[in-house]
């Protein structure tokens, strides 16, 4: 098929690679514009932009799709179908209608649960037992279109958002290749109104850890916000990100360190902190972190 591809972050790169490997023709790639990054704050292409250039594909990165020139460019591609995955811009109806067969979206949740911007983070933070990907026919709503194909996987006990993201990227890539190969046989299933939830964009203001809540909630927040933006706590006046954890045995006052492997008491139960990061430093496993930043039993964080 001749495909209009729209995506931006690392999650989308696996899909682009899979479509090329499956022999599809990529008419053009649309992604978010380069943005300042690194110490020099120089413009850096997005992961999809960089990969598309490596593949020799035409790349467009408009700031908006709501102008006639961009929409005409898309129409002139005469694509058979659009594949959209974590693009980051709203598609006007003219863009949705431009490909002959419309546009398909790869969404990283089991719709209608977790429509919206941060489905992977929210699934972990909510304590969901499973998640997955849906191949959805796009309409004008926010992740409201009928679903053509869904694939579910369990969320592992100690899994972080990064780890789950990587598994879902592979799953999404295989699912869209399967969907395109079997498109005439797939029956669109309208989403029900029952079970709808929205995965709001992660706000940095919600990243501070409150050890007075249950250990399960603390653990889910730490894993769900890892690696970005990173759950954090204040230790001796320094902000420390908490990037990996597990549930542990023990009781004490909330925030009290219970042993020499950074088990911390919560309002109910305890968590063991497995990976931490001080401001201006790299992420470290707990044993290495303790060599440069000792924490002692009885200390409160």
């Amino acid at each position: 098929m001749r495909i209009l591809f729209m995506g931006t972050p690392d999650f989308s790169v696996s899909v682009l690679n899979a479509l090329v490997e499956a022999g599809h023709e990529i008419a053009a790639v649309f992604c978010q514009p380069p943005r300042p990054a690194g110490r020099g704050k120089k413009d850096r292409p997005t992961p999809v932009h960089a990969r598309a250039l490596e593949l020799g594909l035409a790349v467009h990165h408009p700031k908006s799709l709501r102008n006639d020139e961009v929409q005409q460019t898309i129409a002139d591609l005469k694509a058979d179908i659009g594949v959209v995955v974590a693009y980051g811009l709203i598609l006007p109806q003219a863009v949705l209608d431009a490909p002959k067969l419309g546009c398909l979206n790869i969404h990283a949740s089991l719709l209608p649960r977790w429509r919206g911007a941060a489905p992977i983070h929210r699934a972990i933070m909510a304590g969901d037992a499973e998640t997955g990907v849906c191949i959805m026919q796009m309409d004008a709503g926010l992740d409201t279109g009928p679903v053509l194909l869904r694939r579910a996987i369990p969320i592992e006990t100690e899994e972080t958002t990064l780890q789950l993201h990587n598994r879902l990227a592979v799953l999404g890539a295989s699912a869209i290749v399967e969907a395109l190969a079997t498109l005439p046989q797939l029956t669109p299933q309208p989403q029900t109104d029952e079970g709808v939830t929205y995965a709001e964009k992660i706000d940095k203001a919600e990243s501070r850890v409150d050890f007075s809540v249950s250990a399960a909630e603390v653990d889910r927040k730490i894993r769900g916000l890892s690696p970005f933006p990173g759950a954090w706590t204040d230790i001796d006046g320094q902000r420390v990100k908490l990037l990996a954890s597990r549930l542990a045995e023990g009781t004490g006052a909330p925030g009290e360190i219970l042993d020499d492997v950074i088990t911390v008491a919560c309002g109910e139960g305890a968590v063991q902190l497995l990976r931490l990061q001080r401001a201006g430093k790299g992420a470290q496993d707990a044993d290495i972190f303790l060599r440069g930043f000792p924490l002692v039993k009885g200390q409160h964080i």
Side-chain angles (χ1 to χ4, degrees):
M1 283 191 180
R2 182 171 168 83
I3 293 173
L4 163 65
F5 183 83
M6 295 179 146
T8 295
D10 285 318
F11 189 88
S12 311
V13 173
S14 296
V15 177
L16 179 59
N17 287 336
L19 293 173
V20 171
E21 290 168 7
H24 294 288
E25 177 188 1
I26 307 300
V29 170
F30 278 70
C31 58
Q32 292 273 343
R35 290 192 169 89
R39 292 185 177 179
K41 295 300 181 182
K42 295 182 179 179
D43 281 353
R44 179 181 297 174
T46 65
V48 162
H49 188 164
R51 181 57 180 149
L53 292 178
E54 291 174 353
L55 293 168
L57 301 173
V59 182
H60 303 267
H61 43 76
K63 292 182 179 179
S64 171
L65 299 176
R66 297 186 182 279
N67 69 73
D68 293 341
E69 184 178 350
V70 172
Q71 292 179 12
Q72 188 60 53
T73 297
I74 291 172
D76 290 343
L77 294 172
K78 299 189 183 305
D80 295 318
I81 200 163
V83 172
V84 183
V85 51
Y87 178 33
L89 290 180
I90 299 297
L91 273 61
Q93 195 64 47
V95 175
L96 293 172
D97 294 341
K100 184 167 58 177
L101 299 174
C103 293
L104 301 183
N105 175 247
I106 306 169
H107 188 73
S109 80
L110 298 176
L111 294 167
R113 187 162 177 79
W114 301 129
R115 294 173 178 170
I120 303 175
H121 299 77
R122 297 298 179 189
I124 291 178
M125 292 171 71
D128 290 3
E130 67 172 7
T131 187
V133 296
C134 285
I135 308 300
M136 178 194 73
Q137 284 185 339
M138 296 185 71
D139 59 17
L142 176 64
D143 301 325
T144 55
V147 173
L148 292 172
L149 188 73
R150 65 177 63 229
R151 293 288 178 264
I153 57 173
I155 298 176
E156 302 297 337
T157 305
E158 297 179 16
E159 197 159 31
T160 65
T161 282
L162 177 61
Q163 293 165 334
L164 182 55
H165 164 282
N166 292 344
R167 289 206 294 142
L168 290 173
V170 173
L171 185 64
S174 64
I176 189 63
V177 170
E178 178 183 348
L180 292 175
T182 59
L183 199 56
Q185 289 79 50
L186 297 178
T187 302
Q189 299 292 326
Q191 294 185 43
T192 66
D193 293 330
E194 185 178 347
V196 174
T197 58
Y198 289 93
E200 301 291 344
K201 184 178 179 180
I202 299 296
D203 189 328
K204 289 185 179 181
E206 63 184 300
S207 299
R208 184 166 191 167
V209 173
D210 176 7
F211 287 103
S212 70
V213 302
S214 72
E217 291 177 79
V218 172
D219 176 60
R220 295 197 303 258
K221 172 172 277 193
I222 292 170
R223 293 184 294 108
L225 297 180
S226 178
F228 181 83
W232 64 275
T233 191
D234 187 281
I235 304 178
D236 292 338
Q238 293 194 45
R239 179 176 292 200
V240 178
K241 285 187 178 182
L242 312 177
L243 299 174
S245 61
R246 65 163 66 104
L247 295 177
E249 299 293 329
T251 58
E256 180 184 356
I257 297 176
L258 301 177
D259 54 25
D260 59 0
V261 291
I262 327 186
T263 299
V264 183
C266 301
E268 179 183 337
V271 294
Q272 182 184 355
L273 305 181
L274 303 175
R275 193 164 177 81
L276 306 91
Q277 183 178 12
R278 294 163 61 191
K281 305 288 186 180
Q284 297 175 314
D285 290 341
D287 58 340
I288 299 173
F289 178 86
L290 288 170
R291 295 174 194 170
F293 198 89
L295 299 173
V296 296
K297 183 178 179 180
Q299 183 176 348
H300 281 74
I301 62 175

